[in-house]
Amino acid sequence: ITITYTGSAQNIGWRVILPAGWSYASGSNDGTIKPAVGATKRLEWSWTSVPASPITFTYTLSVPANATGDYRLPAVLTVRRISGPAHVYAEPSPLVVRRVP
């Protein structure tokens, strides 16, 4: 995931909804607050010390062995500024992931 922004932000957050049976396995450069390994359903990251743009991070998901086809992962970016939060849905919205055996 690459998050690019202009101006200043007090906090940046990333949230993604997982299909049933999926879980968070690992990540890199993934925020001040991040999901615990094994977390399911809704994963959330937050940068309270916001790094310079762009922010790039990766994460790996555990997918059930019997999963096939395309999966929709709704994701949203939240940028909190002094004037209030702004929510941006990931493009494409939702993210579509195909499990590759």
Side-chain angles (χ1 to χ4, degrees):
I1 306 296
T2 299
I3 300 168
T4 304
Y5 65 92
T6 59
S8 62
Q10 295 175 311
N11 179 288
I12 291 181
W14 175 259
R15 181 176 57 222
V16 63
I17 307 298
L18 299 181
W22 291 36
S23 64
Y24 176 77
S26 65
S28 66
N29 191 35
D30 49 1
T32 311
I33 298 169
K34 61 184 178 181
V37 171
T40 60
K41 298 181 185 175
R42 185 168 92 177
L43 306 181
E44 295 187 61
W45 290 260
S46 180
W47 288 262
T48 53
S49 265
V50 179
S53 179
I55 301 170
T56 299
F57 70 106
T58 62
Y59 57 94
T60 302
L61 302 173
S62 293
V63 179
N66 63 349
T68 59
D70 294 346
Y71 290 85
R72 297 169 105 47
L73 303 180
V76 66
L77 169 69
T78 301
V79 178
R80 289 179 184 83
R81 300 176 186 258
I82 292 173
S83 60
H87 304 285
V88 179
Y89 292 94
E91 288 293 332
S93 179
L95 300 173
V96 177
V97 178
R98 173 167 289 155
R99 183 179 186 276
V100 179

